[in-house]
Every structure is written in C-alpha cells, then in structure tokens.
Amino acid sequence: MAGDEGSSFSRDSMRFFGTVSASATHDLKNVLAVIQENAGLLEDLCRMAERGRPLDPGRLMRLAVELQQQVRRGDRIVSAMNRFAHSVDEEPKALDAAGLLELLAVLSARFLAAKGLQLQTTLPAAPASLPASPFLLIRLLWSCLERAASLGCPAKILELAGESAGEGLAFRIRGFAPPSGAAAVFLSAAETRNLCTALGAALACSSGPGELVIRLPAGSPRAVTRDPREARDRAGEET
C-alpha cells in the first residue's frame, strides 16, 4: 500500500508539472502570436513607405510599445517557468515567501483567468522564510487555489497573502464562498492531504467570510521532505 501511495504521489507531481508547463507554453504562444501580428503590420507599413506613402510616427510608436510589452510579458513567463522547473531539483532551502507568491501569480494567471478570476497577492510586511521543498509548497498552494476557485468567488478575485507565523510561515487565501465543511472541503482531495503530510502543514478555515489559512510550523522535519511515506517514517523516529 505504501508503495502504491508513493507511486501515486510521484504521478501527481508529474501531472502537475505537465499542467503548469502546458499553461506556460500556451501563454508564450499567445505572446509570439501578438509579436508576429505586429511584425506583419510593420512590414506592411514599410512596403507602403517604399511606394511613397509617408510613415506615421505615432503608429510606429504604438507598435513599438506593444512589442516591448509583449517582450516583457514573455520574459516574465519564461523567468517564472525557469524558477518553477528548478524547484523540482532544488534541495529544501529557506523559501522566500514573497518570491513564491510572485511566482504563483504568474503561473496561475491563465488557470484563474479561464474561470473569470484574478489573483491578488499580498506580500509579507517583513522578510519571511522557512526551510521547505519549493516544488511541494507550490503544489499545495496551487491545489488550495484550485479548490477555492471551484467554491465560487463573489467578487471574482482571490487573494493570496503570506506572513510570518511565529518562527514558521502562514499563507491565507481569501475571497471564496465559505464552504459548509470548512477545511475538510480542502482536505477531501488525497493530493492535498499528502502534500500537507509531506510539508507538515495544517489547514484551517475561518468562521467568517471565506478564508483558508495554511500554516507551516518551524522545526518540523516533514517540512523538508518530498514523499509522504518519508514524512511518516521521520515523524515515527521522533516518537
């Protein structure tokens, strides 16, 4: 059974990596399509200029601005995908909560936009970090965002905030319709439960407007493991 669970955990990781990669490459294709369209317009303007039609500086400037915007957008996507790809092979380290939130904002933009939602991130007021596997934490936060989006968001905005929690870290997701089953709704997915086990994370819903709190305590050996079986084994060694 333990072997089957570990295999499922690995398959889920590969599936998640594929989902994020497919989304990023789709966005990049959109960027390239806009650049190609504007390059075609520039070519048309050049051909008309060759036939004696004066160039419109204002139109050229608008095209240049659009191209620069798309290049910056493409650079953000490529940079985010590069960081995400390296999160798989990185050893657990002191995660920068602010950097993680910024990365998730880029990676999840298309997924949330398809549901008519926007993500607003609130960075920690002070530097906040915790030793943990970046890939597993990204997976956990993505899983919780996905479930929150499925519950409905009255304002069409989800907020993801990070903060220090004692010597640990806490992330808050706000803006979804409050579920009747509280945190159990989020933990109903085996993937989320396994990720919480692997990271030593705890989930709790507030009693008021929809808010999920994800806490990662400091000092937990599970916060730096990659497999739920290893997390349980290491926890057993302490008892």
Side-chain angles (χ1 to χ4, degrees):
M1 181 63 181
D4 292 341
E5 184 179 351
S7 297
S8 176
F9 192 77
S10 297
R11 286 195 301 271
D12 287 341
S13 293
M14 293 179 65
R15 188 179 300 113
F16 174 68
F17 191 89
T19 296
V20 174
S21 299
S23 177
T25 53
H26 184 92
D27 279 344
L28 277 176
K29 284 180 66 68
N30 288 340
V31 168
L32 293 174
V34 174
I35 291 175
Q36 183 179 33
E37 179 182 354
N38 282 278
L41 289 174
L42 282 173
E43 183 180 8
D44 291 341
L45 291 175
C46 289
R47 292 188 184 282
M48 288 188 290
E50 288 176 345
R51 293 195 292 268
R53 180 172 177 175
L55 289 172
D56 180 355
R59 190 173 186 185
L60 290 176
M61 181 60 70
R62 288 192 295 273
L63 287 173
V65 170
E66 176 66 21
L67 287 170
Q68 290 171 347
Q69 289 175 342
Q70 292 303 317
V71 168
R72 287 194 292 269
R73 180 187 172 197
D75 182 66
R76 285 195 301 271
I77 295 170
V78 171
S79 296
M81 194 58 206
N82 181 268
R83 290 174 59 193
F84 174 67
H86 282 296
S87 73
V88 177
D89 54 33
E90 286 178 352
E91 289 301 316
K93 62 178 185 179
L95 288 176
D96 171 31
L100 190 71
L101 293 177
E102 292 170 346
L103 176 59
L104 269 168
V106 177
L107 295 178
S108 65
R110 181 172 177 269
F111 155 69
L112 292 174
K115 297 180 178 295
L117 303 176
Q118 291 182 329
L119 181 68
Q120 290 184 351
T121 56
T122 302
L123 304 183
S129 63
L130 180 76
S133 163
F135 180 69
L136 293 187
L137 185 51
I138 290 169
R139 276 187 63 197
L140 176 59
L141 293 175
W142 182 291
S143 175
C144 291
L145 284 172
E146 190 173 32
R147 181 51 60 94
S150 72
L151 294 171
C153 305
K156 301 300 181 184
I157 293 175
L158 277 175
E159 181 185 351
L160 176 61
E163 60 191 44
S164 296
E167 295 184 356
L169 277 181
F171 295 91
R172 297 177 185 272
I173 298 176
R174 305 185 184 97
F176 56 89
S180 58
V185 173
F186 289 87
L187 290 170
S188 61
E191 177 185 9
T192 304
R193 293 196 303 272
N194 286 337
L195 289 167
C196 285
T197 299
L199 287 162
L203 271 59
C205 279
S206 66
S207 57
E211 179 183 72
L212 176 71
V213 182
I214 304 152
R215 298 186 184 279
L216 285 84
S220 170
R222 294 177 299 176
V224 295
T225 56
R226 299 176 182 272
D227 189 302
R229 295 171 299 167
E230 182 184 349
R232 285 195 296 270
D233 292 343
R234 295 183 67 174
E237 291 173 1
E238 289 192 329
T239 59

